[in-house]
């Protein structure tokens, strides 16, 4: 596998350092891209797609609106496709009308796996004195559009677009030596998966690895000199 990458960006600071904005445009061209494909039985076979291109735009910004309140934004647009992949494995049950000819399909021009077109996060944090202590609160939302999980672009194993909400509430000492926090992740309890494919030896069946559901954590921190 060989890759040629290009990137052009700008970093800026405004409002006396309270506003930071970074923008980058990128393009990566892959030759003989390595692709791992399930063989339909018990193993994965590593092969090569002839060519692929991944390109897009990334933006990240942070704004210290007040001494206590901060906003953060990260956003990305991604166009990642196989330029030439005429020997891709067919997904189970794929017919000739759906593009499977001689046990292979042509995925040229189709999206690569794990490549959502849109993704990003937005968050806010707030910190104020609380007597001799400090109170900290933060919330963020992470979102992504749909993407294929397996390399054969099986429509039965697609992760749909989703957004997850996380939050954190903490109390710390004035000198920041210790902190106790309660953290909530995936507060809306969205059901998502990070991997899935055909189920070995059971044609027509699939498996998924499920991400962590709604969860809460109590975190303690002590800093030594």
């Amino acid at each position: 596998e060989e890759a040629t990458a290009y990137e052009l960006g700008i970093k800026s600071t405004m409002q006396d350092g309270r506003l930071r904005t970074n923008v980058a445009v990128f393009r990566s061209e892959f030759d003989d891209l390595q692709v791992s494909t399930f063989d339909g039985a018990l193993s994965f076979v590593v092969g090569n797609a002839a060519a692929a291109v991944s390109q897009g735009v990334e933006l990240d910004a942070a704004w210290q609106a007040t001494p206590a309140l901060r906003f953060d934004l990260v956003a990305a647009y991604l166009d990642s496709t196989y330029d030439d992949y005429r020997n891709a494995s067919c997904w189970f049950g794929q017919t000739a009308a759906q593009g499977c000819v001689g046990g292979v399909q042509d995925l040229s021009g189709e999206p690569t796996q794990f490549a959502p077109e849109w993704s990003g996060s937005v968050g806010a944090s707030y910190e104020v004195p609380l007597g001799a202590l400090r109170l900290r609160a933060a919330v963020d939302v992470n979102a992504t559009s749909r993407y294929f999980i397996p390399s054969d672009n099986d429509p039965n194993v697609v992760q749909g677009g989703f957004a997850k909400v996380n939050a954190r509430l903490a109390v710390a000492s004035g000198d920041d030596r210790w902190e106790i926090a309660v953290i909530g992740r995936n507060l809306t309890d969205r059901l998502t998966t990070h991997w899935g494919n055909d189920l070995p030896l059971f044609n027509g069946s699939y498996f998924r690895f499920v991400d962590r559901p709604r969860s809460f954590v109590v975190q303690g921190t002590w800093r030594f000199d």
Side-chain angles (χ1 to χ4, degrees), residues 47-62:
N48 294 89
V53 172
S54 177
Q55 58 189 357
V57 181
E58 295 179 337
L59 163 70
D60 73 86

Side-chain angles (χ1 to χ4, degrees), residues 2-223:
E2 296 181 353
T4 303
Y6 310 87
E7 183 171 340
L8 177 65
I10 182 171
K11 298 178 181 292
S12 64
T13 302
M14 295 170 281
Q15 297 184 2
D16 296 325
R18 294 191 299 113
L19 176 61
R20 174 183 53 80
T21 305
N22 303 323
V23 181
V25 180
F26 63 89
R27 177 182 173 90
S28 297
E29 301 171 354
F30 297 90
D31 290 322
D32 297 323
L33 176 69
Q34 290 189 345
V35 179
S36 179
T37 304
F38 182 57
D39 67 0
L42 291 173
S43 62
F44 287 84
V45 178
V46 177
N48 294 89
V53 172
S54 177
Q55 58 189 357
V57 181
E58 295 179 337
L59 163 70
D60 73 86
W63 179 37
Q64 193 72 44
T66 71
L69 181 61
R70 173 189 169 106
F71 295 97
D72 291 277
L73 170 68
V74 176
Y77 168 75
L78 176 65
D79 176 21
S80 181
T81 57
Y82 297 110
D83 255 16
D84 185 3
Y85 193 14
R86 287 170 283 183
N87 62 337
S89 298
C90 298
W91 40 271
F92 178 79
Q94 185 177 10
T95 65
Q98 294 170 318
C100 182
V101 179
V104 297
Q105 62 171 323
D106 185 359
L107 287 181
S108 303
E110 295 298 317
T112 60
Q113 66 183 142
F114 300 116
E117 187 175 21
W118 295 97
S119 61
S121 65
V122 60
S125 57
Y126 189 71
E127 181 175 344
V128 292
L130 186 66
L133 306 176
R134 299 196 64 81
L135 178 66
R136 295 169 176 157
V139 62
D140 64 78
V141 180
N142 297 280
T144 182
S145 59
R146 69 190 294 272
Y147 54 86
F148 287 103
I149 294 178
S151 59
D152 57 10
N153 285 12
D154 188 337
N156 297 295
V157 196
V158 174
Q159 174 57 62
F162 64 87
K164 292 185 178 182
V165 181
N166 308 302
R168 187 176 191 271
L169 183 63
V171 175
S173 62
D175 60 2
D176 212 27
R177 178 179 290 272
W178 59 265
E179 180 188 71
I180 298 176
V182 177
I183 303 171
R185 299 190 177 99
N186 191 14
L187 294 178
T188 54
D189 202 25
R190 290 299 305 268
L191 178 61
T192 60
T193 56
H194 59 272
W195 177 245
N197 214 320
D198 303 281
L199 191 63
L201 305 180
F202 292 89
N203 290 338
S205 299
Y206 296 86
F207 70 91
R208 294 279 192 113
F209 291 155
V210 179
D211 294 320
R212 180 182 296 179
R214 180 191 296 121
S215 60
F216 297 94
V217 176
V218 176
Q219 181 186 69
T221 303
W222 182 271
R223 296 177 175 89

